[in-house]
Amino acid sequence: MAFDARVLILAAHDARIGPLAAGLDALGWTTVTARDVGSAEATLQDLPLEAAVIDFDSLTPDAAVRLRAAAQPRRLSIMVVGAAPDSVEGADVAMSVPPHPAQAALRLEQLGRAAIAEEEFHLRVATFGLRGISLAADPGAAAPLRILAAGVADRRFLALSNALTSAGAEVVAAPTPYTAFDYLHETLFDAAILWGAKDHTPALSIAAGMKRNTRLYHIPLMLYLRGADEISLNELFNRGFADVASTETPEQETAERVLAMAGAHRRHLTIRKALDSVRSLDL
């Protein structure tokens, strides 16, 4: 039912996003569809929706701004489907092809947690400001995003690592699961990419180990496959991967998706650290 909806679908037709919406519905992320921006604004004003998924064909230049304004005071997470990440402004994540429903649900959940933390942070900033207390995020949050790239050397995996480096990220290479966990226990990472290679076992073992560790559990993971049909996507997302990409996707787009995940994770942790620093203050 629309009154139980969590996700707004903005699409003039169902050709591209219809199957994704049906998959989200089946996973409990109930959707409500608007066919134009005006209807979407009205829907957001009536329903407490958490996120919006927009078909690129229905994306007007001001759509993201208008939808976020209509959702105020909530912070609306926005995913655009059907466009390369570098061609869209104002979206939290953009994908050229519709993601697997489980992948979209995990991504929206991550964005939702970050949005809730962001709302609480701005509320606390205003509250403490009235009492003359300054609350600011850690300035260290501006440092380059740090990405772990775990897997044997391969020209396709190296091409993705180079794309991330060119975008300003710090990429740390770990050729084996042992070195990967050494780095994970010694260094803070904003995201990790695991190379599927011919044998997926090392990547899956790293993912399983991270999901059993409370400190590493929330680091977003991407599995990078040689081909899109190598393994069941349902199985992968049940193992905790936040994203799955293949070498069939342009390296630049995959890099943008990794950076978007890493940036959201970094921002979430930075906000939580700032909030925790003032929880003990007696006001």
Side-chain angles (χ1 to χ4, degrees), residues 16-263:
R16 178 181 283 139
I17 297 187
L20 172 59
L24 287 171
D25 289 333
L27 292 172
W29 286 75
T30 310
T31 63
V32 58
T33 300
R35 296 304 185 189
D36 56 62
V37 177
S39 299
E41 288 178 301
T43 303
L44 287 167
Q45 291 167 356
D46 291 339
L47 301 175
L49 302 176
E50 302 173 34
V53 178
I54 305 175
D55 186 335
F56 183 68
D57 293 341
S58 301
L59 182 68
T60 59
D62 62 345
V65 173
R66 289 173 61 180
L67 295 190
R68 285 213 168 100
Q72 288 293 331
R74 304 181 311 280
R75 203 280 181 183
L76 185 73
S77 302
I78 295 178
M79 172 185 291
V80 177
V81 176
D86 57 359
S87 66
V88 176
E89 293 185 6
D92 295 293
V93 59
M95 308 183 79
S96 58
V97 297
H100 188 281
Q103 176 183 1
L106 284 169
R107 196 74 182 86
L108 293 175
E109 183 177 5
Q110 181 194 34
L111 291 171
R113 289 197 304 268
I116 292 171
E118 191 92 31
E119 290 173 14
E120 183 180 359
F121 178 71
H122 289 302
L123 178 62
R124 295 287 183 255
V125 168
T127 302
F128 283 104
L130 293 174
R131 291 162 174 78
I133 300 175
S134 176
L135 175 60
D138 181 4
L145 294 170
R146 185 178 294 117
I147 313 294
L148 176 70
V152 297
D154 180 282
R155 62 177 179 80
R156 293 160 293 187
F157 196 38
L158 291 174
L160 175 57
S161 296
N162 290 337
L164 288 165
T165 302
S166 297
E170 177 187 346
V171 180
V172 178
T176 69
Y178 301 104
T179 53
F181 279 108
D182 283 343
Y183 283 129
L184 285 166
H185 289 302
E186 295 171 359
T187 309
L188 292 176
F189 288 95
D190 301 296
I193 317 166
L194 310 182
W195 172 231
K198 185 176 182 179
D199 180 10
H200 301 127
T201 303
L204 297 180
S205 68
I206 293 172
M210 291 178 67
K211 293 308 171 184
R212 289 193 298 266
N213 186 297
T214 55
R215 190 178 69 82
L216 306 177
Y217 182 85
H218 289 296
I219 296 176
L221 293 174
M222 171 184 276
L223 181 62
Y224 195 46
L225 298 171
R226 297 176 306 158
D229 301 323
E230 288 189 331
I231 192 170
S232 167
L233 291 179
N234 277 323
E235 178 186 351
L236 293 175
F237 294 120
N238 287 335
R239 289 174 180 266
F241 284 97
D243 200 351
V244 177
S246 75
T247 56
E248 298 165 7
T249 304
E251 289 92 357
Q252 188 59 42
E253 177 180 341
T254 303
E256 291 285 350
R257 283 159 57 178
V258 174
L259 293 172
M261 288 195 307

